[in-house]
Amino acid sequence: MPQSLMSIIVLLSWLALPVALICIVDDWFLRPQRLIAAAAPPQDAPFMTFLYSALPVLIACAVLRLLVAERLDFSAVLLGITVLTGAVWAVDHLLLRRWRTAAARAAGKDPAQIPEPGTVDYARSFFPVALVVLVLRSFVFEPFRIPSDSMMPTLLDGDFIIVNKYAYGLRLPVLNRKVVEIGEPQRGDVVVFRYPRDPSTNFIKRLVGLPGDHVEVHDNLIIVNGRPVPFYVGRQRYNDGCYLMMGDNRDNSDDGRSWGYVPEENLVGKATRIWFNWDLGRSGGPMWSRIGTTIQ
């Protein structure tokens, strides 16, 4: 994405919050009062009409900025959206609707003539969608984009993959605490995990060493517990509850050989299948032949 366009998107995304707050105050409190006091349905002021029209664009810019961010916890974002939309819906149902009804009756008007605030309508529409996506993404499957060539030839830069979130047990979103034991990682699995040095960043590598394994290399041959396997790593012994991860592209991979092992609580899930491929920096468009490929 061109830097000039990204700068504009960043600027507009910063405007999303103050404009949203202004629209919420007007939509929840001031607009209902205007409707109740007026003999005929009043028109919004030109300034507010402009803000209401601009708000979807600003929100779209904020969402796009989140999507391209390198350090983003999507589970936290989804949880925030779910909580926010649910709270808006609940506050209107328990408080604001009663206030609008009482104010309309006090003015001698039919409460049905006072429309529900648009922000509440949006919240009621988005809440179930956000909740379903949060549950699916946290406990079932999560999409992940391959950001580098460290897993070549198994995975390429531009691959979009599906990560099985329940393969190694169910974890609470954001807290990442395991609540249900289901399965254990196996040597050779392609695993998505939170980078030990920066847990806000997800990495994807192949699991080479299990807890308690003794791993060493001789003449470019890896030996795990005395048996040769087709991976290359440095010589290390790993503690119980920790895993050794390594990229398939052995000569171009930032992995456990340089930063150590991955704690069990950092595991995100098992990579299972490629559902799309498109590297925007590569000419020729998507690689259709990779769609549906099983990750082994």
Side-chain angles (χ1 to χ4, degrees):
M1 181 178 297
Q3 186 60 38
S4 58
L5 178 58
M6 190 62 207
S7 299
I8 295 175
I9 291 175
V10 170
L11 175 61
L12 294 178
S13 68
W14 279 111
L15 295 175
L17 181 58
V19 171
L21 291 177
I22 294 174
C23 291
I24 287 174
V25 171
D26 182 76
D27 198 31
W28 284 19
F29 303 104
L30 303 182
R31 181 187 275 179
Q33 290 181 355
R34 293 195 299 269
L35 290 171
I36 293 172
Q43 295 293 323
D44 291 325
F47 177 68
M48 289 307 306
T49 300
F50 171 75
L51 291 186
Y52 281 123
S53 300
L55 184 59
V57 176
L58 299 180
I59 292 177
C61 290
V63 172
L64 182 58
R65 184 185 178 189
L66 289 175
L67 290 176
V68 300
E70 295 182 356
R71 299 164 57 90
L72 176 67
D73 188 339
F74 277 101
S75 294
V77 173
L78 279 173
L79 180 61
I81 293 175
T82 303
V83 172
L84 179 61
T85 54
V88 168
W89 187 11
V91 168
D92 180 75
H93 181 74
L94 298 175
L95 299 175
L96 297 181
R97 183 181 300 178
R98 297 179 182 179
W99 170 77
R100 291 194 304 270
T101 299
R105 288 174 177 169
K109 290 193 172 183
D110 182 2
Q113 295 180 351
I114 309 302
E116 181 181 65
T119 50
V120 175
D121 182 46
Y122 287 141
R124 188 179 64 252
S125 301
F126 279 116
F127 172 71
V129 176
L131 180 61
V132 170
V133 173
L134 175 64
V135 171
L136 290 177
R137 193 178 185 278
S138 299
F139 301 116
V140 185
F141 294 108
E142 177 180 349
F144 183 80
R145 180 187 179 279
I146 303 302
S148 71
D149 291 330
S150 69
M151 283 297 293
M152 288 181 62
T154 305
L155 297 171
L156 305 180
D157 188 358
D159 280 343
F160 291 81
I161 66 173
I162 291 294
V163 178
N164 184 332
K165 296 296 292 288
Y166 59 85
Y168 308 138
L170 299 182
R171 297 179 182 272
L172 294 176
V174 181
L175 298 178
N176 298 307
R177 179 174 299 174
K178 185 183 291 186
V179 291
V180 179
E181 297 280 351
I182 294 180
E184 296 294 334
Q186 302 297 316
R187 189 180 293 110
D189 287 355
V190 178
V191 181
V192 173
F193 57 92
R194 292 181 290 122
Y195 181 37
R197 293 183 178 178
D198 181 8
S200 65
T201 302
N202 283 340
F203 270 31
I204 181 168
K205 306 293 179 184
R206 190 177 297 277
L207 194 159
V208 176
L210 295 171
D213 281 351
H214 183 269
V215 182
E216 56 184 313
V217 62
H218 295 289
D219 298 327
N220 209 30
L221 176 67
I222 182 175
I223 300 176
V224 179
N225 301 328
R227 300 180 61 183
V229 295
F231 302 109
Y232 172 85
V233 294
R235 175 175 182 153
Q236 304 209 34
R237 180 183 292 276
Y238 287 84
N239 300 322
D240 293 344
C242 295
Y243 300 87
L244 171 61
M245 305 291 183
M246 182 195 144
D248 288 355
N249 189 359
R250 300 193 290 259
D251 297 326
N252 185 29
S253 175
D254 179 19
D255 51 38
R257 291 171 292 177
S258 61
W259 40 255
Y261 52 77
V262 176
E264 190 275 339
E265 59 267 22
N266 283 42
L267 300 181
V268 173
K270 180 181 179 180
T272 58
R273 192 174 296 272
I274 299 170
W275 63 271
F276 193 61
N277 172 284
W278 195 359
D279 180 5
L280 296 179
R282 181 189 65 228
S283 61
M287 296 177 63
W288 304 107
S289 61
R290 297 190 64 76
I291 297 177
T293 301
T294 301
I295 300 173
Q296 299 178 342

